[in-house]
Structures are given as structure tokens and as C-alpha cells.
Amino acid sequence: MTARAPAGPLSPDTAEPASETAGRTLDRLASERATGALHGCAGALYLADGAVVHAESPAVPDLGRRLTARGRLSPQAWEEAVAEGGPGYRAGSLLVERGRLSRGELELCHLSALFDAAYFVLSPLGPGLRAPDRFLGGARHWLGPIRPVPVPLLRREVVRRRRLLERAWPRPEVDAAPVVRTSDGGAGPAQATGRRAVLAAADGVRTPVQIARDLGRPAFATLLDVRRLAAAGLVRTPCADAPTAPVPPPPAAPELSLLYRIRDALEAL
């Protein structure tokens, strides 16, 4: 039987970091096989029978933005799926039934969007922002179930991403502030295509999250690119002097490969 916790604040321990408090809350909801939405200042996580089935955050491009920005779907096709399938909590399935996406493509895109949004929900940018602390029992997302993610797997991925950022450039001030190219920004070593686009968009006005939204890219990947560009001395915050840059680490494995491995692991459960 599915446990449904009542809506209301969850009384987080304010002495703990936001991500740790949220992690403890998620562990409890998973053990109760809860269904509903865990809301915070940076978005929400949707659970079904204790697994995370969707995540959304204003800090990241959602699934529709990703698919339409890449030209994979037209805005009209996405809006039709939301309008017709949303009320029945099956907008995602409708895209597959109508041949707009294959099931595998939908799952990979959804996993990418879920992990991207979940990172920012559980690790909100900016000082003093609280962890998710309000659970609305029974709430469902209009996209519908696609590929549930166990809470332990989600928590491990959040930790992995946090460590990637620390290794790339241990100065988080570039995460939430506008970034600008330095005078050497056009003379650095060759960058990956996505990183070149991020560098070109560093105009001193947009933050990494805003750059990701404008480019239709995953917000975490953009954040990681900005930290690596800062480590290479190619970007900085407009009102901060960048310290001497450490040697940047080797590039991480492509996100797509990670998502394939995660999907395979889920299928093996």
C-alpha cells in the first residue's frame, strides 16, 4: 500500500547543509513508499511508491525546452502532447504513441532532465536557501511515469556532480553570478563545441543558468563548463578578480554515456 505523508513543513534540521537535510527527507519518503511532491525554494521532486519519477526547477531547461531547442520536436507538437496528455498524466507516453519520439529516446531525455533538475532542487544556488521541506501527498506530474529512479541512485548522482564541480574549480561564486570572458577568452585552447558556445555567451549579464536556458543545454553541464573555463582563466565574474587558476582536470565522460549506464542499471534491478 502506498504511504502518503500529509502536506506541510517537514521541520528540517537547520544545522545540516541543505542537501543533507533533503537527502534524509528523501530516504524517509522512500522507506515509506510515499507518493507526492517534495517542494523547495528551487523546485520540486515527484515521487511514486518511494521512487523519484520527475524533477522540475526554474533553474534548468525542462524536457520540452530541451527537445524543441534541439529541433527534435516542434513547439506545436510539444504543446499538443501537454494539452491532450497532461490532464490524464500521460503527456510523455503520448509522444511515443504518436511516433514523435522512440521510447528509448524519451527515457534518455527524461533521465537527463530529471538528474539536471534534481541537482538544483537538492543543492540550491545561493547562500541561505533552504532544502525542500514541504511534501504534498498524492501529487502527480502531468508528464506521467517514464523511468522511476531509486532515491539512493539519485543521491549518489548528486554527490558525484558536486565532486565534479569541486575538482573543476572550487570557487562556487561563478555558479550564481553573471560571467564574462576575460581578455584571454578568445585565445585559449580549443574547447568542445558546447563549451565554446558557453564561452561565446559569457557576456557579463547572464548567469550560467541563464546561459543554459538560452542555449537549451543541461544546466549542470553548463555550470561545469563555466567552472572549467574559470579554471582555465577564460571567464570570471565581472566584479571579482580571478585567482591563479589550477590545472583543469581531464574531461568527464559524456553525459549520454552515463545515462545509458544508469538506464541499464535500472533495467537490471
Side-chain angles (χ1 to χ4, degrees):
M1 180 176 178
T2 300
R4 295 185 175 179
L10 296 172
S11 302
D13 180 357
T14 55
E16 289 184 304
S19 58
E20 288 303 314
T21 303
R24 287 159 57 93
T25 300
L26 276 176
D27 287 344
R28 178 173 64 79
L29 293 173
S31 69
E32 296 172 355
R33 299 183 61 83
T35 292
L38 179 62
H39 290 271
C41 62
L45 301 177
Y46 287 79
L47 294 92
D49 292 328
V52 179
V53 293
H54 192 73
E56 61 184 13
S57 170
V60 307
D62 63 11
L63 180 62
R65 171 61 180 159
R66 292 163 189 254
L67 292 169
T68 56
R70 297 193 334 237
R72 187 59 191 83
L73 283 182
S74 68
Q76 180 182 2
W78 173 255
E79 290 165 6
E80 285 177 356
V82 173
E84 297 178 28
Y89 307 104
R90 57 186 306 273
S93 297
L94 199 61
L95 289 170
V96 176
E97 291 170 10
R98 293 185 173 178
R100 305 288 190 182
L101 298 171
S102 69
R103 183 70 190 183
E105 185 177 11
L106 176 63
E107 289 181 0
L108 286 173
C109 290
H110 177 252
L111 279 174
S112 177
L114 188 155
F115 283 120
D116 201 28
Y119 177 81
F120 290 92
V121 173
L122 297 175
S123 304
L125 300 179
L129 295 181
R130 298 197 327 270
D133 62 354
R134 185 173 181 83
F135 186 71
L136 181 61
R140 299 165 65 190
H141 194 273
W142 49 263
L143 188 64
I146 296 175
R147 171 66 72 172
V149 175
V151 166
L153 176 60
L154 180 69
R155 293 194 65 187
R156 288 197 299 271
E157 177 60 12
V158 169
V159 171
R160 186 190 75 88
R161 294 183 178 215
R162 191 177 301 121
R163 289 173 178 167
L164 275 177
L165 290 177
E166 284 294 310
R167 288 201 299 268
W169 181 244
R171 294 179 65 85
E173 62 268 19
V174 297
D175 294 349
V179 290
V180 63
R181 294 184 297 277
T182 65
S183 57
D184 296 328
Q191 303 289 340
T193 301
R195 206 171 303 168
R196 283 200 301 269
V198 172
L199 181 60
D203 54 9
V205 176
R206 288 176 287 185
T207 66
V209 164
Q210 290 169 329
I211 291 172
R213 188 177 299 116
D214 289 346
L215 296 178
R217 297 185 73 229
F220 177 81
T222 303
L223 202 63
L224 185 57
D225 280 341
V226 167
R227 289 227 193 177
R228 287 173 173 165
L229 290 168
L234 300 179
V235 299
R236 62 177 178 82
T237 55
C239 54
D241 294 324
T244 303
V247 177
E255 182 176 303
L256 187 60
S257 297
L258 170 69
L259 292 173
Y260 276 120
R261 293 198 301 272
I262 289 174
R263 189 179 69 168
D264 291 344
L266 288 170
E267 290 173 348
L269 292 177

